[in-house]
Amino acid sequence: VAFRRDGWLWAASCAAHADASRSARSALERHGIKPFEEFSQEEIRDRWGIDGLITGVLDRSCGSVDPAELAFSLRRTALSLGVKIFEQTPMLSFSRQGKPRVTTPEGQVSAEHMVLAINAWIGRLPEFRSSILIAASELAVTDPVPDVIDRMGWRDGPYVNDSRLMVGALRALPDGRIIYGKGGGHFGFAGLVDARFDGPAPRLDVMTEEFHRYSSHVRGLRPRHSWAG
């Protein structure tokens, strides 16, 4: 499923964010957990060719996975075990007391347990509406640029994100492309996921400019595709 355990670099793109990880690190260390290694600006530049960040911490235990490959692999495995999968069946309602029961246009399904794996759409449920903020994410991917990635030394490098409130992120993909993105372009009022959350990234120029600031090696690279979600 295209799983890569190359770590996660939580970095700062300006001096104001240099200590962004401090509270999380302190809380973990109180419980004897020390997953982070500190890296200076020079170490980040020399190790991965990312010279637009001023400091960061690396968690080597983290990895990344292709979400589509993961979903398809889970589907294949479930089918091989005899699980029946019913796709394109809308849930009209579900029971909130007693044995879980889901109502569909064609009838009802009962089970011992129910998992609400509905991502942002869980914000439509009154139990969650007041505690979940639905924020858009926008992503773009370049054409394959393996020469750039090799020059940076980023072939097996970590997933990277900054410490902004609306996080920017990037990583090198196994096929030589670079994916980058940013969160928080717009928000879903009252848990509504509408048409603004689909289609090309509306802030593509802004996030590409931010992408170019991460490293001098990627300046001039343009996106091949973009999307929002």
Side-chain angles (χ1 to χ4, degrees), residues 122-136:
I122 203 167
R124 300 303 304 275
L125 303 180
E127 293 92 335
F128 300 96
R129 190 173 299 154
S130 64
S131 58
I132 291 180
L133 176 67
I134 308 301

Side-chain angles (χ1 to χ4, degrees), residues 1-6 64-66 69 141 144-146 149-150 154-157 171-179:
V1 294
F3 173 74
R4 300 173 65 194
R5 194 168 186 173
D6 294 331
S64 63
V65 64
D66 182 321
E69 286 292 336
V141 65
V145 286
I149 293 172
D150 287 339
W154 198 24
R155 176 68 64 174
D156 298 316
R171 84 145 309 142
L173 299 176
D175 62 5
R177 297 178 297 167
I178 299 176
I179 188 170

Side-chain angles (χ1 to χ4, degrees), residues 8-18 20 38-58 152 154 158-164 167-171 181-182 209-219:
W8 162 50
L9 181 67
W10 179 7
S13 55
C14 65
H17 299 160
E38 293 188 54
F39 283 80
S40 67
Q41 182 176 20
E42 292 75 19
E43 289 171 327
I44 295 172
R45 179 198 63 204
D46 295 344
R47 195 166 187 131
W48 301 295
I50 301 172
D51 51 22
L53 298 172
I54 64 170
T55 187
V57 293
L58 177 70
M152 295 172 69
W154 198 24
Y159 170 87
V160 179
N161 73 250
D162 60 28
S163 300
R164 297 166 187 254
V167 171
L170 70 160
R171 84 145 309 142
K182 190 171 182 63
E209 180 183 349
E210 189 170 294
F211 166 57
H212 290 161
R213 290 200 294 268
Y214 277 102
S215 173
S216 57
H217 293 281
V218 304
R219 287 172 194 155

